[in-house]
Structure formats: structure tokens, C-alpha cells
């Protein structure tokens, strides 16, 4: 890490721990340079970086101030305690009903699970496809069918190193997006009737996967900012024969929560003591607004129990369907399941991604993408603060593209969903995110498709609909 | 159909039904033209077509003769009657052990499941990738995620029309190769513990799919030339609570059997009476050596019970992983399962295939491919007749790229596999093709990687190893 990054990091930490608060003025460049024994240009670069991340802002002829929107804002939701029982899952029908209705092209897609495709370097990627495939030795099509391109797995291995962990690339299996990786991992370590621990609220695709494999869900209390609560997990592990956990430690869907590093380490140690595998869904990690990629739980794993799953779908190449898992001691089992169910992955998208990654535009693209999402989050938070009913609570995630909005009691999210849809706005009602449909007054809003006036208007309409429901 | 095609068809039928036999002389052009009231050039074209298909050959200054290799050759295997009981399946371990050992690059891949990648227009396809993706409207990436490219589904619909059936393209779901299609279909109509009818011998991937979903297999007697025996199936249906059939009516793997049209119609009617869905694996249909694509069972289906599965992997675009299913009344269920397990297919391979299909080189490519495979089959049959032990029986399929070789009792195919592998030759031992491992003296040989001296040498070595086993 360079000196200016280090200094920026220190200030970010002061903001995170609220030593520096909204509206506080940062030391002037001269002050900082003098007191820290660093050059003025280092201070400038650090402030510039913090500003790009949306943590501070410059006021003309006055200096740098801690950004009001990020540190202040409204009240965040609290942890919602789950029931504590394990339950069979029957959520799919509702998920299909709700999502199916939100796919029309003219709907403002606040309920979508995807960021806008306009945010990605699709043309640059497309240009890689033909040359990459024309260079490919035909024999490799069959040889690399099931585990995926060796070249790509080596590049993923390099990115793992820079994310703080080294692993044998033979542990990696390329999959049809992270969705296939997660499903294969879940199937590799469970049998029908088994209990699986999930977050609360939970990403609905995890619930659907449990339902499809006839597994039982037990929900673990999850803090909207810090993620899985370890005391709750310890209790669940002592009371239920948990066969696996499916968690999203970095920017959880729908909460956006980010587990602190010390919690990740403790989580891995706790699960190692119980010999319980962790399926780590890490698809949002690259969409951080902080200073660096948050570590995966996998980087604390010494037992091969963490099955790390990720993809390029949310941060680079939607529609390329290139995901993967580094499945630890279960790698061979996952590979065999892959062979039996989808045989292998399309070759061209993998080879094109290899070429793109080697050309070196990925990190620049990611910086722009993070900035666009951070800006869009700020805009969404302003809209919600302005238009939503008093008593609304909303998360302020440090990455990803979802807000979790807890509306006052009296608003029913499914009703709101239907009313919104009649005005050509979609949303994801809280009902989708729990096996027992507890989050009836919550909605997940996607700001990754936003940042324009149509989006602002949609938020205003949503707010009006919610207010009208409360007044009725 | 043109007049010369019609005439060629009539002669092919006479050969198939053995009215015309190996070595029989065809009528001279003048005779045929006179007796049939067709022009001499029509007769010439018909004979030329039959020759291109390997059914007849010209002898200089003598006329056209029925091709000895195709109509004569050695003795074909007889139907092997299955046990009649339904059994749980535990075959995967053996399949992985055997197939895993045959993937090395320097092995002559007679055990492979794939034809040689050199047989496909990989460069032409690769050139389609970048332009197709650069033209794509980004919004379609999300809109068409789960069912697949609408353009491609429309083109598939057109090919279905030319294969003799019209269907609503909304019935089609694009999948990650036929393997995913088959697995999704199987999952859509069964629950753990259910009984599924399969052919005997059975493609091992079907057995693996049953094992993975904890289904029971009941094997149906399958004739090496005519496929599923309907009397055997009727008995199975009356004795077992069959929830689905997984059959390959066109060029079955491993037998290469082709169900006659009247049997396909009767099969569909029989299953309709029992309300049993048919999962039709039709990946080899385009690799026919006869005059036209054999009809799928789907073309006789009036109840929406046939789930037709196919792909481009075996006849055009290996590694593109573009398969599909037209799943009849189960289409929505399949689509939902797809959404839950792999979400969607890579976009670029689908769009590139659309462009390739529109350019119109597909049928020319298929003609060349069929000719190459037919030639290679003839070469393999010559090699087997020359080198394999007396008493060896071998199929003579009218399409595809597999031979099923029944060696004399006393040869153990697993032992042969191990001996062959030590000489850098792979094969697929019969043990893989039945839940009760009955086909211990049979092997499946792939001639789709053959047609060269290395291949001839490998067949000679295999024959010597089998003879040595018998002598020991």
C-alpha cells in the first residue's frame, strides 16, 4: 500500500468509528503535512481518494469536510431477531410471482437484482471474444470442459492472492455464474431434510435453493451493518444439527451489511470447531466504497471448510455467466456434480475474460463503477429521506447496490409492490427474504439502475404510496 | 422433396429392409429411367446421393452395387434382456474412475464421448462472436436471461418445422448444453424414490442423473438396431409406477439404434395412455447417414408429454454449451428450475450461433460431417472385422459416432480398459451402461475421433489385447 493510501485509510477508519463525524473539518493540507511528516502532495492524494470514495467533500476556499450524507442520514434498521426454529422452505411460488411481474422493459426496476448493463465495458469485452476463440487450440475445448479454462483459473488465483489468500488453482471450478457455484456447493454438503443456517433477512435465491433440495432453513440474526451475529450463530449451532451455512459476509443481499474482519475470523473459527462448511457468497466484494476490497472469510480458513463463490456478473460482465467456486476440501465433489448436471461452461466467455483481464482495464473500470454506485446510493438516500414516511429506517451500506428500507408498521410491502407496479415501478417486498415471511414492512431497493430523474420520480411515487397506505 | 431424392429414398428403403442386399446390382440408369418414367439425370442424381451416403458404390464399367460394408459386415448383437426389477443407481464412482483416466492428451480417445473438435467450423463460429455481441442491445442481457435468446429460439422453431413439427417457441428453454436440459427435465417430473425407465444399455449420464436425484432405474429391453422394444416397455409400465422415461430414439448412446417411425408413434401413444412423460435425448439426430433427419418422438406428441432435448454440441459448436429443451406442458417448471440453478446461459455463444445459422453454412457443414463420420465408421468396422476375436458382434448404426462391440464371453471389458490404457488407448467398458453392470463383455468405441492410422493401430492393439485375454 502506498503512503497516501495508508493515510487515507487512517482517516476512513476515524470516520467509520465516528471519531470524525458528519460536517467535521479535516486538518488542512499544511497542518496534516506538518504533524504527520508527510509531503503536502501525499495529503492531497489521500484527500482526493477519500473524496472519490464519497467519504469527504471539498468546500471552496474552506477545506475538506466529512460527508454529511454518508456519516449522518436517517436511522438505520436494527437487527430483527429470527424465530429460532428450523423450518421447511416454500417461498419459490411467491418469488416467481413477484419477480415475473417486474421484468417488463418500461418498468423502473427498483426491484431488479441486477445493476444497469450500461455500467459495464460491454463493447471492450465483446471485442475480445473472436480473437480469443480464434487463438484457442481446439483440443482444449474438451480437455478443460468441466473445471473451466486453466488460464482463467490461474488469473483468478492471482486475484485471490491480491485479496489476501493463496490457493491451489485446482481447487477452483468455473461455473455458470455464482448461482451455479452456490447450488453445487450446497448440494455437495447436504442431503434432503438437512438443516442449513442462513442470514435473516436472507437472499431469496438461497431460500429457493433450500426449497429445491428439500432442506430446512434456520435463520441467524443478522445486523444491518455488521452482518451475522456470532452469538446468535453459536446458539443455532448448539441447538440444531446444522450441515452448512450459506452467508454473504461482504455487502449482504438485501441488507448490504459488511462483517468486520475480526468477526469473519471468529466466524471461521466457530464453524471449524463445529466442522460445519461455510458457503460464502462473495459476489459483491469488488463493489466496495471503502478503500480496499474487504477480505473474504476464505482468507481465514485453515481447514478447507470455506467454499468461496463469486463471479464477474455483478462487477464486469453480465450475461457472460462466468462464476466460480474455490470449494476447499469439497472441490472434487463439486467438480463431479458440475460434470453431471451441466457438464461444462461455454468456452468463449472464459477466454474473452482472460484476454480482457490481461489487457489491464479491469481495475480502472471497477473504480468508475464503484463511484457511480456510491453516487447513486447518495441520491437514493436523499430521495428516501425526502419522500418516505416519518419513521422509515434505511441501511447505508458501504458497498453493493441495494438499500434495505424498513417502513413504519402499517405499510405492507406486498400491497406496496402491487400499487407500485401499477405505476410501472418494481420493488422487492420483504416477504421474499425469509422462510417465515417476517419482513412484511420492508422493501429492497436497487439503486444500481438509478441515478437519473426517472429514478428520483420513482422514489417520490413510492414514498407517496407508502404515506397513502399509512393514512388509509 | 425433389424427384431424385424421392427415388433415392425408395432405394434406401429397399436396402434397409434387405430387399436389396450386399453386392446386389442396381438397375442401370437406362433401365431405371425407362421403368420409372423419370429422366436419366434424375436417376444419376439419386445414385450419386446414395453413393455419397455410403449405401451403394460404383464399380467402373459395371454399374452400381449395394455397399457390402453397410449391409453385410459381421453379426450384430442381439437384444440383451434386462432384469425387470427397479434398482437404486450407484454408478457414478465407476464412471468418474474410468472417464477420469482417459482424459490425457496423448491417449487415442476411443472411449471419449465427443467427436474430434477438428470436425467443426470453429473458426467461422469464432468470427461471429464479436460482431454479434457488439450489435446486442444491452437491455436484452437481463430480459432474455432465463429462457435464452429470443432470436435463437425462433431459429430453433424454424428447424423444428423442417423436422416435421410446429411448436410455440415460448416452450423452448435454452440450456447449458443438452446435459442441463435433460437434468432439468428429469428433475421437473420426479421426486426422490421415483422410478424412471431407461434403455438397456443406458447412456451413463442418465444413470448418473438418476443417482444424483435418488431415483430408481428400471431398464427396458432395447434392440441394437430398432431401439426400445415396445412390448418390454408395456410390461414395465404395467409392473412399475414409472414417473418418466429417458430415451434416445435417434442413434442411441451406446447402441446407435434408431427407432422406426411407426415405433416412435406407438411409443408416444403408449406413454400418453399411461400419462408418463418422455424425456427425449435427441442430440445425435443430425448425424444421420440416411437420406433425411429421422423424426423426433416429439413430432407425434399431442399431449405435451414429450420433453425434447437437444444441442449444437455434437454437430456444430462443441464448447459453446448451447442446448435446449422444448418441454411441452412442463416448460414453465423447467424454466423455473433453470432460473433457480444456473439462472441463465451465456449470451455470446447464443448470439454467435444465431448469426452463423443465418449466414446459411450449417447444412453444408452437416453434409461434410456426416460423410466424415460415415467414412470413419466403415474404417472402424473393417478394423474390427480384421483384428477382433472370432465371435465378436458389432452394431452398424445409421448415424452418430459410436459402435457397440460385444466381445466373446471371457473378455472382461474393465480389464481390457486397464490394459488398453497402459498402451495409451481409451475405451468405454460396458459396465458403465447399466445399473446392474451387466454388459461386462461389451465396449463402446468412438469412431468420431478416428479415420487415421493412429486409430487403425489402436483398433489392432485392442483386438490383440482381447484375443490375448481369451487365450489366457
Amino acid at each position: 500500500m502506498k503512503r497516501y493510501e495508508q493515510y487515507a485509510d487512517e482517516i476512513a477508519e476515524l470516520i467509520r468509528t465516528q471519531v470524525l463525524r458528519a460536517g467535521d473539518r479535516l486538518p488542512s493540507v499544511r497542518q496534516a503535512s506538518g504533524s504527520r511528516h508527510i509531503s503536502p502532495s501525499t495529503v492531497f492524494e489521500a484527500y482526493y481518494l477519500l473524496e472519490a470514495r464519497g467519504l469527504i467533500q471539498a468546500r471552496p476556499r474552506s477545506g475538506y469536510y466529512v460527508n454529511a450524507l454518508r456519516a449522518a442520514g436517517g436511522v438505520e434498521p436494527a437487527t430483527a431477531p429470527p424465530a429460532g426454529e428450523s423450518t421447511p422452505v416454500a417461498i419459490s411460488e411467491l418469488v416467481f410471482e413477484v419477480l415475473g411481474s417486474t421484468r417488463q422493459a418500461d418498468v423502473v426496476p427498483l426491484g431488479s437484482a441486477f445493476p444497469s448493463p450500461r455500467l459495464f465495458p460491454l463493447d471492450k469485452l465483446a471485442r475480445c471474444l473472436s480473437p480469443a476463440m480464434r487463438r484457442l487450440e481446439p483440443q482444449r475445448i474438451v480437455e478443460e470442459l468441466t473445471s473451466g479454462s486453466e488460464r482463467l483459473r490461474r488469473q483468478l488465483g492471482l486475484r485471490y492472492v491480491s485479496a489476501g489468500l493463496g490457493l491451489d488453482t485446482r481447487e477452483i471450478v468455473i461455473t455458470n455464474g455464482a448461482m451455479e457455484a452456490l447450488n453445487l456447493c450446497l448440494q455437495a454438503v447436504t442431503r434432503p431434510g438437512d438443516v442449513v443456517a442462513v442470514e435473516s433477512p436472507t437472499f431469496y435465491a438461497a431460500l429457493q435453493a433450500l426449497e429445491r433440495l428439500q432442506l430446512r432453513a434456520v435463520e441467524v440474526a443478522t445486523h444491518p451493518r455488521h452482518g451475522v451475529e456470532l452469538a446468535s450463530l453459536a446458539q443455532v449451532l448448539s441447538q440444531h444439527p446444522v450441515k452448512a451455512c450459506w452467508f454473504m459476509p461482504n455487502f449482504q443481499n438485501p441488507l448490504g451489511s459488511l462483517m468486520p474482519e475480526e468477526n469473519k475470523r471468529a466466524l471461521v473459527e466457530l464453524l471449524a470447531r463445529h466442522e460445519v462448511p461455510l458457503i460464502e457468497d462473495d459476489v459483491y466484494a469488488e463493489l466496495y466504497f471503502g478503500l480496499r476490497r474487504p477480505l473474504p472469510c476464505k482468507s481465514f480458513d485453515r481447514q478447507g471448510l470455506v467454499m468461496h463463490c463469486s463471479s464477474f456478473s455483478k462487477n464486469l460482465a453480465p450475461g457472460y455467466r462466468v462464476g466460480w467456486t474455490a470449494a476447499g476440501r469439497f472441490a472434487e465433489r463439486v467438480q463431479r456434480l458440475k460434470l453431471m448436471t451441466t457438464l461444462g461452461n461455454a468456452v468463449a466467455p472464459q477466454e474473452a475474460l482472460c484476454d480482457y483481464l490481461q489487457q489491464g482495464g479491469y481495475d480502472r473500470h471497477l473504480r468508475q463503477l464503484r463511484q457511480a454506485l456510491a453516487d447513486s446510493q447518495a441520491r437514493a438516500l436523499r430521495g428516501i429521506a425526502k419522500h418516505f414516511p416519518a419513521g422509515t429506517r434505511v441501511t447505508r451500506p458501504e458497498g453493493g447496490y441495494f438499500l434495505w428500507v424498513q417502513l413504519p408498521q402499517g405499510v405492507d410491502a406486498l400491497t406496496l409492490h402491487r400499487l407500485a407496479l401499477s405505476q410501472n415501478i418494481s420493488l422487492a417486498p420483504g416477504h421474499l427474504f425469509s422462510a417465515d415471511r417476517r419482513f412484511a414492512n420492508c422493501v429492497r431497493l436497487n439503486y444500481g439502475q438509478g441515478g437519473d430523474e426517472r429514478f428520483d420520480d420513482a422514489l417520490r411515487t413510492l414514498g407517496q404510496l407508502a404515506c397513502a397506505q399509512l393514512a388509509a
Side-chain angles (χ1 to χ4, degrees), chain A residues 199-436:
Chain A
E199 289 144 324
S200 176
T202 320
F203 175 36
Y204 50 77
L207 293 172
Q208 288 184 299
L210 266 58
E211 179 174 347
R212 190 178 63 84
L213 297 173
Q214 298 177 261
L215 301 166
R216 298 174 68 85
V218 57
E219 299 185 10
V220 178
T222 307
H223 188 275
R225 181 177 278 265
H226 303 305
V228 165
E229 297 201 346
L230 294 173
S232 170
L233 177 61
Q235 197 175 4
V236 161
L237 289 172
S238 70
Q239 290 173 349
H240 300 274
V242 171
K243 286 296 190 306
C245 298
W246 175 327
F247 293 157
M248 218 181 288
N250 295 326
F251 315 124
Q252 196 253 5
N253 177 355
L255 288 176
S257 55
L258 171 64
M259 285 184 80
E261 254 177 48
E262 57 274 24
N263 291 21
K264 288 175 183 161
R265 185 190 302 273
L267 169 66
V268 170
E269 284 167 5
L270 176 62
L271 292 180
R273 282 198 296 279
H274 288 79
E275 287 240 15
V276 171
L278 171 62
I279 300 167
E280 180 175 32
D281 181 354
D282 202 24
V283 294
Y284 302 111
E286 293 284 7
L287 306 181
Y288 59 87
F289 306 152
L291 290 172
R292 76 174 68 86
R293 184 203 194 287
L295 288 179
C297 288
K298 178 88 180 170
S299 61
F300 301 105
D301 182 28
R302 300 286 166 269
Q303 310 292 322
L305 279 169
V306 178
M307 313 168 85
H308 185 256
C309 301
S310 192
S311 84
F312 291 111
S313 303
K314 306 295 173 60
N315 60 50
L316 175 62
Y320 277 61
R321 309 300 303 133
V322 176
W324 66 89
T325 176
R329 63 167 83 160
F330 309 103
E332 193 188 355
R333 223 184 288 174
V334 167
Q335 194 184 327
R336 288 179 167 198
L337 283 171
K338 165 89 190 166
L339 180 62
M340 286 195 279
T341 49
T342 64
L343 195 57
N345 258 49
V347 176
Q350 298 178 64
E351 294 300 321
L353 278 169
C354 277
D355 280 13
Y356 176 86
L357 292 174
Q358 267 173 346
Q359 286 167 16
Y362 186 32
D363 286 307
R364 192 171 56 244
H365 154 70
L366 284 174
R367 280 194 294 274
Q368 291 167 353
L369 176 62
R370 288 172 199 133
Q371 189 59 56
L373 292 177
D375 289 350
S376 182
Q377 184 193 90
R379 192 160 174 163
L381 286 170
R382 277 196 299 271
I384 289 167
K386 200 164 165 189
H387 301 298
F388 277 45
T392 296
R393 293 171 172 226
V394 58
T395 53
R396 284 191 306 282
E398 297 170 57
Y401 49 87
F402 293 124
L403 292 178
W404 181 249
V405 183
Q406 182 186 322
L407 292 150
Q409 294 294 337
V411 176
D412 177 70
L414 264 183
T415 310
L416 190 62
H417 151 71
R418 289 190 189 111
L419 292 168
L421 203 59
S422 71
Q423 312 248 8
N424 281 341
I425 302 163
S426 74
L427 55 82
H431 302 68
L432 305 185
F433 299 91
S434 163
D436 62 6

Side-chain angles (χ1 to χ4, degrees), chain A residues 46-316:
Chain A
Y47 285 8
Y48 183 76
L49 182 61
L50 290 162
E51 192 177 23
R53 292 281 182 273
L55 293 172
I56 65 172
Q57 58 183 332
R59 293 186 197 159
R61 282 178 303 277
S62 167
Y64 283 90
Y65 290 82
V66 174
N67 197 320
L69 264 167
R70 297 294 303 286
V75 183
E76 292 179 79
T79 302
E85 297 306 307
S86 82
T87 53
V89 186
I91 191 84
S92 261
E93 206 54 48
L94 182 68
V95 172
F96 289 126
E97 185 198 316
V98 170
L99 296 190
S101 65
T102 65
R103 284 262 172 102
Q104 292 95 358
D106 54 346
V107 163
V108 187
L110 302 186
S112 169
F114 309 99
S116 165
R118 288 174 294 103
L119 294 169
F120 301 100
L122 293 175
D123 196 65
K124 271 191 194 148
L125 286 167
R127 284 173 200 267
C128 294
L129 283 159
S130 292
M133 280 305 277
R134 295 189 63 199
R135 270 198 314 273
L136 188 79
E137 171 57 44
Q139 205 48 47
R140 285 187 38 215
I141 292 173
V142 172
E143 280 169 22
E144 302 186 346
L145 196 60
T146 298
S147 285
S149 158
E150 198 186 320
R151 230 176 111 211
L152 181 59
R153 282 181 289 136
R154 243 183 286 133
Q155 297 217 23
L156 292 174
L158 291 177
R159 287 198 79 83
Y160 272 111
V161 169
S162 66
L165 76 135
L167 48 79
D168 188 340
T169 54
R170 283 172 300 184
E171 190 186 314
I172 301 175
V173 179
I174 307 289
T175 56
N176 205 43
M179 185 66 87
E180 184 183 30
L182 293 159
N183 273 282
L184 293 177
C185 289
L186 186 62
Q187 203 181 338
V189 296
T190 59
R191 297 178 63 85
D194 281 352
V195 176
V196 175
V198 296
E199 289 144 324
S200 176
T202 320
F203 175 36
Y204 50 77
L207 293 172
Q208 288 184 299
L210 266 58
E211 179 174 347
R212 190 178 63 84
L213 297 173
Q214 298 177 261
L215 301 166
R216 298 174 68 85
V218 57
E219 299 185 10
V220 178
T222 307
H223 188 275
R225 181 177 278 265
H226 303 305
V228 165
E229 297 201 346
L230 294 173
S232 170
L233 177 61
Q235 197 175 4
V236 161
L237 289 172
S238 70
Q239 290 173 349
H240 300 274
V242 171
K243 286 296 190 306
C245 298
W246 175 327
F247 293 157
M248 218 181 288
N250 295 326
F251 315 124
Q252 196 253 5
N253 177 355
L255 288 176
S257 55
L258 171 64
M259 285 184 80
E261 254 177 48
E262 57 274 24
N263 291 21
K264 288 175 183 161
R265 185 190 302 273
L267 169 66
V268 170
E269 284 167 5
L270 176 62
L271 292 180
R273 282 198 296 279
H274 288 79
E275 287 240 15
V276 171
L278 171 62
I279 300 167
E280 180 175 32
D281 181 354
D282 202 24
V283 294
Y284 302 111
E286 293 284 7
L287 306 181
Y288 59 87
F289 306 152
L291 290 172
R292 76 174 68 86
R293 184 203 194 287
L295 288 179
C297 288
K298 178 88 180 170
S299 61
F300 301 105
D301 182 28
R302 300 286 166 269
Q303 310 292 322
L305 279 169
V306 178
M307 313 168 85
H308 185 256
C309 301
S310 192
S311 84
F312 291 111
S313 303
K314 306 295 173 60
N315 60 50
L316 175 62

